[in-house]
Amino acid sequence: MKRRSTTERLFTPAFITLGIAELCYFTAFGVALFALPLYVTGPIGGDAAAAGLAVGAFALSALVLRPIAGRLADRFGRLPLLFGGALLAAASLALLLVAESLPVVVALRLLAGVAEAAFFVAGFAALADLAPEARMGEALSYNSLGLYLGISLGPLLGAALVDLAGFGLAWTAAAVLALLAASLTLLVGETRTEAPADDAERHLIHRPAIPIVLGFLAALIAMGGFLAFASLDATQLGFDNAGLALFVYGAVVVVCRIAFARVPDKVPSLALGTAALVVIGVGLIIAASLRSPVGLLMGAAVLAVGVAFSTPAFFSAIFATATPSQRGVASGTASAVIDLGLGLGPIALGLVADGFGIPWAFGAGAAVAGVGAIWTLVLSRRVAVSSPGRDDHIG
């Protein structure tokens, strides 16, 4: 593919509108993330296991459908999946107003997973269409703020709405936010610029990216384990506010994504991914070895620095293997790995925590990150992968 100029404009109306649409969508997601466990254990009458099932059910359908959504985004365009996904999300949230049993709630969460697969995959593909090739890493850094801010602000909004007028207002507001996201996607419009690939070129999995996503998977497993046990570890260490470690983590990611947005375009992608994995491992080692509130906060902050660079680095490397007509499938492959990693991390490291304690679980996460760093370093020496602003490419 011909390399575009590094001076091409990034902050176009379509790019900004896409970011706002994603902020609305993920804020709605964050409202549900807060309110759903309370709704299941309250009005529905379920227990903690039921709440966990309700919260996590969406990931099952999302994981299965992301690769299919990627192919559909390449075949029919990004807009139908962006618009349709946001509408499905609005429907799944609005119908919670009349959900009075756990099976109904789980069914609606599975529907939310369909929406998530469509919207998330098409959103990343649209981002790759809109971003200048030489500024792909910067675009990924800024675009991800919608996800992080939405998941951070959504629970705060959900808590305020539930306190004000109960769950009905929370579900209504979340549905309205999803409808707003759908409306904004119409302003973004269709971003695909090339015709669909021939039948022989269409796959559900973007095969050239498979070696790269293994390194990305290691980062996600390590991160997922920390996110799952940070609050519990904070409680055991005597924090007054058990959510402080996660707040520090989220704040550092957001600050780094803004302050260092251009770094992924100046450093070869897999080299940056290797460094990010090392930093993630160091953060987990700090949290595992310095058993104090300060140690956990330091570990969370260091780990967050690694996470801030890992996603732009690996997504840049993945998109570098794809032509414009393959970006949907590439996005589907990369985002499916996010579900896989964030699911495997808590499960696998949870077994370690149950048998040996949370510090050992953090240590196991650091070991996974270390193996991923070695793999990515070897891969970076085997193939010439760099940021889109360079002449290197995957061969």
Side-chain angles (χ1 to χ4, degrees):
M1 186 193 305
K2 193 174 180 180
R3 184 161 60 89
R4 286 173 278 184
S5 168
T6 60
T7 61
E8 287 187 86
R9 185 181 174 196
L10 173 59
F11 293 102
T12 61
F15 179 86
I16 295 171
T17 304
L18 177 63
I20 297 172
E22 290 175 341
L23 176 60
C24 292
Y25 180 93
F26 288 112
T27 300
F29 179 90
V31 170
L33 193 63
F34 167 82
L36 201 60
L38 299 178
Y39 186 64
V40 170
T41 55
I44 297 296
D47 56 15
L53 175 63
V55 172
F58 89 97
L60 298 176
S61 49
L63 175 61
V64 171
L65 293 176
R66 284 191 200 274
I68 298 173
R71 180 168 176 174
L72 292 175
D74 286 336
R75 180 62 178 167
F76 299 108
R78 324 311 188 200
L79 182 57
L81 274 77
L82 282 169
F83 182 71
L87 283 184
L88 277 179
S92 71
L93 290 163
L95 288 172
L96 286 169
L97 287 164
V98 296
E100 297 181 350
S101 68
L102 181 63
V104 174
V105 171
V106 171
L108 291 176
R109 292 297 289 167
L110 290 171
L111 180 62
V114 178
E116 173 81 359
F119 188 88
F120 195 92
V121 169
F124 267 118
L127 170 68
D129 295 335
L130 293 170
E133 187 179 352
R135 301 179 70 178
M136 184 68 72
E138 182 183 3
L140 286 162
S141 294
Y142 286 125
N143 180 262
S144 66
L145 294 176
L147 170 61
Y148 279 91
L149 289 174
I151 293 178
S152 298
L153 296 175
L156 297 177
L157 176 62
L161 295 174
V162 171
D163 287 342
L164 179 65
F167 292 103
L169 181 59
W171 303 140
T172 301
V176 169
L177 282 168
L179 284 174
L180 180 57
S183 301
L184 289 169
T185 65
L186 296 177
L187 297 179
V188 175
E190 180 55 61
T191 61
R192 189 187 63 181
T193 57
E194 290 195 2
D198 295 334
D199 287 340
E201 297 180 10
R202 294 197 209 116
H203 304 283
L204 291 179
I205 302 297
H206 186 58
R207 296 173 186 172
I210 291 175
I212 299 169
V213 301
L214 293 177
F216 191 29
L217 180 62
L220 292 164
I221 289 173
M223 176 181 68
F226 177 81
L227 295 178
F229 298 106
S231 294
L232 180 58
D233 195 40
T235 300
Q236 295 178 358
L237 291 172
F239 275 70
D240 292 330
N241 184 343
L244 184 59
L246 290 179
F247 174 79
V248 169
Y249 165 85
V252 171
V253 171
V254 169
V255 169
C256 287
R257 290 275 171 90
I258 295 173
F260 305 107
R262 297 188 179 185
V263 169
D265 294 318
K266 300 179 182 297
V267 180
S269 299
L270 289 186
L272 183 60
T274 300
L277 279 161
V278 171
V279 174
I280 289 171
V282 171
L284 286 169
I285 289 172
I286 292 172
S289 57
L290 298 181
R291 304 303 298 154
S292 68
V294 172
L296 181 59
L297 294 179
M298 287 176 57
V302 172
L303 179 141
V305 173
V307 170
F309 292 107
S310 65
T311 300
F314 283 108
F315 263 89
S316 293
I318 290 165
F319 280 128
T321 69
T323 65
S325 64
Q326 297 171 335
R327 285 172 179 159
V329 173
S331 176
T333 300
S335 57
V337 171
I338 294 176
D339 286 328
L340 186 61
L342 295 183
L344 280 178
I347 293 172
L349 299 187
L351 294 175
V352 177
D354 185 56
F356 303 96
I358 292 176
W360 283 96
F362 288 163
V368 171
V371 171
I374 293 171
W375 168 259
T376 307
L377 178 62
V378 172
L379 187 63
S380 70
R381 295 185 177 184
R382 289 176 48 199
V383 294
V385 181
S386 74
S387 62
R390 295 171 181 260
D391 293 324
D392 302 335
H393 63 281
I394 295 178

